[in-house]
């Protein structure tokens, strides 16, 4: 392969000196031939005529894939930020809901406690009322007895006064 390239370069130098138009055609022909030979060897020229190991199409696809990957990574980063914010928000709402739940449980327990206190107080008041009714009944019986005694004493006094 190297021998063929060397011989074509020698032929091209001899022909270049004779015809100027032909010189350009042959130069293009030899350049195309050199590109084919190098292409078969896995070497390629880019748009700046720099020798590359990869085919220009593969290089372009690689660059495009790299850019797409970068965009994808950026989008994943944004997605992670959004999800992180959402998780924080949900955690905060869960804490607030738990706090409100605990307040509601506390309020319910307080109401139950107040209801039990009222029931106990009502029972105490009913017992006090029953005690006072019994005391009233004793006082009424005592009053009636005292009234009877007074009436008897008044009658005795009246009889005593009339006998004198």
């Amino acid at each position: 392969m190297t021998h063929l390239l060397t011989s074509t370069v020698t032929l091209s130098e001899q022909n270049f000196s004779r015809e100027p138009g032909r010189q350009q055609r042959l130069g293009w022909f030899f350049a195309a031939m050199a590109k084919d030979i190098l292409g078969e060897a896995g070497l390629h020229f880019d748009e700046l005529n720099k020798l590359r190991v990869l085919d220009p199409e593969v290089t372009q696809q690689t660059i495009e894939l790299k850019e797409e990957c970068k965009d994808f990574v950026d989008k994943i980063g944004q997605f992670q930020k959004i999800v992180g914010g959402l998780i924080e928000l949900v955690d905060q709402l869960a804490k607030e809901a738990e706090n409100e739940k605990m307040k509601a449980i506390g309020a319910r327990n307080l109401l139950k406690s107040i209801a039990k206190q009222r029931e106990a107080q009502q029972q105490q008041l009913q017992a006090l009322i029953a005690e006072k009714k019994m005391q009233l009944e004793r006082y009424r019986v005592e009053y009636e007895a005292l009234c009877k005694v007074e009436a008897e004493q008044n009658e005795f006094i009246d009889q005593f006064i009339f006998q004198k």
Side-chain angles (χ1 to χ4, degrees):
M1 198 186 289
T2 312
H3 176 62
L4 181 61
L5 187 57
T6 310
S7 63
T8 52
V9 171
T10 310
L11 283 174
S12 109
E13 288 174 358
Q14 292 172 358
N15 290 332
F16 281 167
S17 57
R18 293 186 199 144
E19 295 178 29
R22 188 172 179 194
Q23 197 175 22
Q24 286 178 341
R25 285 192 309 262
L26 284 176
W28 180 82
F29 173 74
F30 287 124
M33 207 167 123
K35 281 186 179 181
D36 289 341
I37 293 170
L38 290 173
E40 289 174 9
L43 301 173
H44 306 279
F45 287 101
D46 65 4
E47 61 276 352
L48 301 174
N49 289 325
K50 290 186 178 182
L51 191 59
R52 301 288 180 185
V53 176
L54 291 177
D55 184 15
E57 281 185 40
V58 173
T59 303
Q60 184 60 33
Q61 289 174 351
T62 304
I63 291 170
E64 289 173 5
L65 181 61
K66 182 180 176 182
E67 290 174 1
E68 287 178 19
C69 288
K70 184 181 180 290
D71 291 344
F72 179 75
V73 168
D74 290 344
K75 288 179 182 178
I76 290 294
Q78 291 174 350
F79 179 73
Q80 285 177 337
K81 286 180 184 177
I82 291 170
V83 169
L86 182 62
I87 288 172
E88 287 179 17
L89 180 63
V90 168
D91 285 344
Q92 182 181 5
L93 289 174
K95 287 178 184 175
E96 289 177 13
E98 188 65 27
N99 287 340
E100 291 300 319
K101 179 181 171 184
M102 296 307 276
K103 285 180 184 178
I105 290 172
R108 183 179 61 194
N109 290 342
L110 180 64
L111 287 175
K112 284 181 181 178
S113 172
I114 290 172
K116 286 180 182 179
Q117 287 176 352
R118 284 189 180 166
E119 188 176 317
Q121 187 179 19
Q122 184 178 8
Q123 288 176 352
Q124 287 175 349
L125 291 174
Q126 285 176 345
L128 183 63
I129 288 171
E131 183 182 324
K132 294 296 181 182
K133 280 183 179 179
M134 287 182 0
Q135 188 178 14
L136 177 64
E137 183 61 27
R138 280 193 312 262
Y139 287 154
R140 189 184 61 75
V141 169
E142 187 178 343
Y143 174 74
E144 287 176 1
L146 289 175
C147 282
K148 202 182 229 185
V149 169
E150 179 186 18
E152 288 174 1
Q153 287 178 356
N154 282 338
E155 190 178 320
F156 177 74
I157 291 174
D158 285 339
Q159 283 179 2
F160 184 74
I161 292 178
F162 286 128
Q163 282 179 1
K164 280 190 179 183

